[in-house]
Amino acid sequence: MEIRLENIQKKFSSVVAVHDMNIRIKDGSLTGLLGPSGCGKSTTLFMIAGLYAPTAGNIFFGDEAVTLLPPEKRGIGLVFQNYALYPHMTVLKNILFPLENMKIPKKEALKMAEEMADIVQIRDLLDRKPSQLSGGQQQRVAIARALVKKARVLLLDEPLSNLDARLRLETREEIRRIQKETGITTIYVTHDQEEAMSITDDIVLMDKGWIQQQDSPQQMYLNPGNQFTAEFLGNPPVNIIDGKITDSVLVVCGEKLCGFDGVEDQPVVVGIRPEAVLIGNGDIKASVRLIEIVGKDKIISLDLKGCLIRAIVSLDYDCNVEELLSFSVKHSGVFLFDKTTGARIKGFAS
Ligand SMILES: Nc1ncnc2c1ncn2[C@@H]1O[C@H](COP(=O)(O)OP(=O)(O)OP(=O)(O)O)[C@@H](O)[C@H]1O
Ligand SMILES: [Mg+2]
């Protein structure tokens, strides 16, 4: 089911939580709604769910305008961060609950609940109470309950925030598997860029109620449209430094970093992905200020005449603090942004 938001706005008295939003969510996709706390993710999701009425604009499920439909008529399944299962009911009763509300005959309801339990792989837990399950298992029950009534759209609001780090990894993969297996159009709200990057087909990135970019995770990372997007995605984060373009060359801290054809002379904000700093390759020299070991990688902070630039290398790369290293940069990992608007300025490698 394709979902479209057309000129959607939401105001809470004087606060504009969502500004003039236009998005298209592809049928059968898993789309991440990503952004920092307070940027309007939940507000957007709740408008799609029908829990909030937009102040302006329209929402479509396929060709059907659903803007005025109450939540129960939209065919959605909702899952929140706190699992909200009924604690006194068994897992099976929890999953059956929406079907009983719809007055589906018992035998048929049982079959539907068991099928859904198979899909989310909790068949052997049906007789337990929620308190006898792990957080990840509880979230799977919540997903089964959301989907059992043949939802057309699955809406998840930070479904993993209550889980510990390891369970978060497992459960997000589980959500991806369930989504692929059922083919259900899913919107997944998260503030965690890594989570969004790892499981979604498409990301809608928001800031302060405005959409910053909608793209596949890979495109958004490789080709950010503005400084906010470049900074929000990536760990370790992109290096942000002041620079200037002079005669089609990017100059940072008095050093010529690389050529940028087609960009006029001007001061710029420069974003350099840590993996685009190629150590041992090139003739720019900088001294090592700090070495951090992060899992299988080493992050080296280089001091280039007072500018700090982080580079990422493999763990077995040997170097010492204060050592002088030479480096160059990979053009495709260097972004230029307008100093006042933050918009991307594109040029060509030269
Ligand atoms: N019921 C409400 N009344 C007034 N303001 C609200 C209401 N709900 C949200 N807001 C405001 O709207 C903005 C967006 O809130 P929203 O809950 O959508 O953010 P979010 O992106 O989901 O954040 P988080 O990651 O913290 O959950 C915030 O400034 C918030 O304070
Ligand atoms: Mg929220």
Side-chain angles (χ1 to χ4, degrees):
M1 177 71 55
E2 180 187 276
I3 301 171
R4 262 181 307 127
L5 272 59
E6 287 185 4
N7 305 108
I8 283 290
Q9 187 207 46
K10 180 66 183 175
K11 278 190 190 169
F12 294 106
S13 57
S14 64
V15 179
V16 185
V18 173
H19 298 267
D20 197 30
M21 191 166 190
N22 288 284
I23 48 177
R24 202 168 69 85
I25 286 160
K26 287 187 212 98
D27 180 31
S29 73
L30 173 56
T31 297
L33 212 49
L34 176 69
S37 182
C39 73
K41 306 180 294 291
S42 296
T43 303
T44 304
L45 196 79
F46 292 174
M47 288 192 281
I48 297 169
L51 299 172
Y52 287 167
T55 312
N58 277 302
I59 300 174
F60 295 88
F61 284 4
D63 292 330
E64 186 190 356
V66 298
T67 322
L68 300 175
L69 279 188
E72 65 276 11
K73 297 240 167 86
R74 292 194 185 194
I76 49 150
L78 257 177
V79 176
F80 297 102
Q81 94 180 54
N82 47 352
Y83 336 109
L85 298 175
Y86 303 110
H88 58 285
M89 292 184 190
T90 62
V91 168
L92 180 62
K93 282 261 156 71
N94 263 282
I95 302 175
L96 282 171
F97 189 79
L99 301 177
E100 282 167 4
N101 274 351
M102 292 163 74
K103 308 260 181 300
I104 292 182
K106 259 209 171 101
K107 213 170 146 197
E108 194 186 336
L110 192 63
K111 191 164 161 267
M112 289 164 79
E114 283 174 351
E115 270 173 25
M116 201 38 78
D118 279 339
I119 291 175
V120 304
Q121 296 178 353
I122 48 161
R123 184 70 181 247
D124 49 341
L125 305 175
L126 289 175
D127 296 329
R128 294 207 201 162
K129 294 272 176 64
S131 61
Q132 297 166 318
L133 302 178
S134 74
Q137 290 168 335
Q138 291 186 48
Q139 266 321 36
R140 284 196 244 168
V141 177
I143 292 170
R145 193 180 58 180
L147 292 180
V148 73
K149 52 193 183 206
K150 306 278 179 236
R152 305 189 280 178
V153 171
L154 177 61
L155 305 174
L156 306 161
D157 193 357
E158 308 257 8
L160 310 181
S161 352
N162 281 346
L163 309 183
D164 66 40
R166 179 143 177 207
L167 208 50
R168 263 209 305 274
L169 284 183
E170 272 175 39
T171 314
R172 81 184 188 202
E173 270 152 33
E174 195 55 19
I175 288 176
R176 180 51 156 171
R177 180 190 63 77
I178 295 166
Q179 189 273 331
K180 274 206 162 143
E181 225 169 282
T182 54
I184 188 163
T185 309
T186 300
I187 304 180
Y188 185 105
V189 165
T190 177
H191 62 268
D192 182 338
Q193 56 97 18
E194 199 216 312
E195 201 169 285
M197 298 269 289
S198 65
I199 60 165
T200 64
D201 299 303
D202 228 17
I203 295 177
V204 176
L205 179 62
M206 297 178 70
D207 185 37
K208 301 189 182 83
W210 295 98
I211 293 187
Q212 301 295 310
Q213 193 164 340
Q214 176 174 12
D215 242 320
S216 69
Q218 191 182 357
Q219 266 309 311
M220 199 175 273
Y221 185 82
L222 295 176
N223 205 2
N226 62 26
Q227 187 178 339
F228 177 86
T229 306
E231 285 191 77
F232 202 80
L233 299 185
N235 190 23
V238 69
N239 294 286
I240 296 288
I241 321 164
D242 276 337
K244 63 177 183 188
I245 297 287
T246 308
D247 295 335
S248 299
V249 174
L250 171 61
V251 180
V252 168
C253 290
E255 284 282 349
K256 291 178 175 172
L257 220 54
C258 59
F260 257 98
D261 274 348
V263 182
E264 284 175 25
D265 286 7
Q266 60 188 299
V268 288
V269 174
V270 186
I272 308 172
R273 291 273 182 225
E275 65 274 20
V277 179
L278 308 174
I279 291 181
N281 174 343
D283 48 21
I284 312 168
K285 292 213 162 27
S287 63
V288 176
R289 172 81 75 82
L290 184 72
I291 302 168
E292 295 162 275
I293 293 174
V294 183
K296 61 180 189 355
D297 300 315
K298 227 178 223 178
I299 298 167
I300 300 180
S301 297
L302 294 169
D303 186 335
L304 177 69
K305 295 184 179 158
C307 297
L308 272 194
I309 301 179
R310 278 180 313 271
I312 188 161
V313 292
S314 71
L315 195 55
D316 55 11
Y317 183 83
D318 258 337
C319 66
N320 299 305
V321 172
E322 292 189 4
E323 191 177 333
L324 210 56
L325 297 179
S326 57
F327 73 96
S328 62
V329 292
K330 194 169 144 200
H331 191 276
S332 61
V334 180
F335 313 125
L336 307 182
F337 304 108
D338 186 283
K339 277 200 89 129
T340 41
T341 64
R344 176 91 177 269
I345 304 166
K346 288 201 181 170
F348 317 99
S350 62

